[in-house]
Amino acid sequence: MNNLPIGIFDSGIGGLTVASAIVKVLPHEQLIYFGDTAHLPYGDKSPEAIKYYSLRIAKFLADKKCKAIVIACNTASSLAYSDLVNFMGHELPIFNVIDPVVDAVVQQHSYTRVGVIATKATIKSGVFKHKIQARNALIQVQSLATPLLAPMIEEGFFNNKISRTIIDSYLSSSKLKNIECLILACTHYPLIQKEIEAYYKYQVNIINTADIVASYIKNQLISMDLVNRSEEMGKKNQHEFYVSDYTNSFEQSATMFFKEKIHLKHQAIWD
Ligand code: DGL
């Protein structure tokens, strides 16, 4: 059981930020990654569609004999996590990317005004506001949907004039006024973290969700005695990457994150 892979999925390249953070803290794990590029962006889809895609992908990863599944997407975590746990949680552990971040914000800091940026679907679900305020009703949660960011990043637009203009226009919204920290509640956003920090002139704490999630998963796998004990695993080229539609930018990003040539496999898992 311990040497089985960890399954991880997102709508596209965003989950690679979580995948590479996991590889850093758990270097002997093998990952099977699924990017649902045929249905990107999830943030504009209905809850029903997001649940349906997530269930199909989780089933694919379970059939690949993964020992755990990481929903490396805030949108799918917001809308499909409880369905996935109901359908498959008795067979294998399922992790979302929201609970570890809420824990970190509520426990480790004394924030009173927390900003959240995410896709339309995540913001509409109200999940961050609900979960944070259930733990500490005094924390004011200021949320803003930033729907252009994930497609922009997916297309490779970051660290340039276009991305800076779009980021500035979102972050100057009055909805984010006077925040003390900002949760990047979309797994694509760590790719523009530097630009966001620069916008705030380093005065607002930007929460690096990928690192928080990776260290949470490490602790959970240790406590479940699921960590791989073989040092042979997780070496170069052992991770597998599947996409539902082939895109160049996915291959480039995966290669950038994993610093090795990635061979994408096309996997259509829809009827
Ligand atoms: N990376 C995904 C998230 O964390 C969503 C991007 C999208 O497909 O809209 O929400």
Side-chain angles (χ1 to χ4, degrees):
M1 183 75 176
N2 297 61
N3 58 3
L4 294 175
I6 299 172
I8 174 161
F9 75 91
D10 178 43
S11 57
I13 63 170
L16 293 170
T17 60
V18 179
S20 68
I22 292 176
V23 166
K24 264 187 225 141
V25 295
L26 289 166
H28 305 308
E29 298 295 332
Q30 185 201 359
L31 301 185
I32 299 186
Y33 187 95
F34 192 97
D36 190 9
T37 41
H39 299 112
L40 180 108
Y42 275 11
D44 298 342
K45 303 285 184 300
S46 67
E48 293 68 33
I50 294 162
K51 283 178 197 173
Y52 175 73
Y53 301 146
S54 302
L55 280 171
R56 296 296 295 259
I57 298 167
K59 171 99 181 41
F60 168 77
L61 294 171
D63 289 347
K64 288 266 167 203
K65 305 262 173 295
C66 291
K67 63 184 171 190
I69 292 181
V70 181
I71 311 173
C73 170
N74 285 265
T75 310
S77 294
S78 309
L79 294 153
Y81 173 64
S82 34
D83 281 41
L84 289 196
V85 170
N86 286 339
F87 282 104
M88 0 216 11
H90 46 279
E91 286 169 34
L92 78 178
I94 297 184
F95 300 110
N96 69 65
V97 287
I98 295 173
D99 290 324
V101 174
V102 169
D103 276 354
V105 167
V106 174
Q107 282 169 11
Q108 293 167 17
H109 305 281
S110 50
Y111 297 126
T112 53
R113 288 184 309 278
V114 171
V116 179
I117 55 171
T119 65
K120 278 198 254 184
T122 301
I123 297 298
K124 198 165 165 213
S125 77
V127 64
F128 277 92
K129 193 175 168 98
H130 174 77
K131 286 191 183 230
I132 291 173
Q133 292 189 334
R135 303 271 297 276
N136 182 346
L138 298 176
I139 299 179
Q140 194 178 312
V141 180
Q142 300 173 217
S143 309
L144 179 73
T146 48
L148 283 182
L149 296 184
M152 172 187 95
I153 294 163
E154 194 74 27
E155 288 300 324
F157 282 90
F158 39 94
N159 294 323
N160 65 26
K161 242 161 74 185
I162 295 172
S163 62
R164 268 192 297 280
T165 307
I166 295 173
I167 290 166
D168 288 9
S169 140
Y170 277 136
L171 299 184
S172 58
S173 163
S174 58
K175 289 190 177 169
L176 297 175
K177 209 168 163 203
N178 296 331
I179 53 171
E180 296 154 326
C181 75
L182 181 66
I183 301 175
L184 305 185
C186 170
T187 51
H188 281 73
Y189 299 175
L191 286 157
I192 51 168
Q193 180 160 346
K194 286 198 174 79
E195 291 172 85
I196 293 176
E197 284 167 345
Y199 171 85
Y200 285 113
K201 303 198 169 50
Y202 309 94
Q203 299 303 303
V204 167
N205 191 10
I206 310 302
I207 311 281
N208 183 335
T209 48
D211 287 346
I212 292 170
V213 169
S215 93
Y216 174 86
I217 288 170
K218 178 181 177 180
N219 291 337
Q220 291 296 309
L221 291 184
I222 291 171
S223 72
M224 292 170 184
D225 192 22
L226 279 178
V227 170
N228 197 346
R229 298 188 197 101
S230 160
E231 306 226 330
E232 280 309 296
M233 296 297 286
K235 282 192 174 164
K236 279 188 179 292
N237 291 322
Q238 287 191 343
H239 306 302
E240 291 179 38
F241 296 87
Y242 293 88
V243 284
S244 50
D245 193 17
Y246 182 82
T247 64
N248 253 339
S249 62
F250 190 100
E251 194 154 22
Q252 282 161 10
S253 303
T255 301
M256 176 184 97
F257 274 115
F258 287 84
K259 300 192 174 42
E260 62 186 283
K261 183 84 190 127
I262 299 296
H263 297 288
L264 279 187
K265 295 179 198 163
H266 178 249
Q267 183 74 35
I269 52 172
W270 323 108
D271 297 326

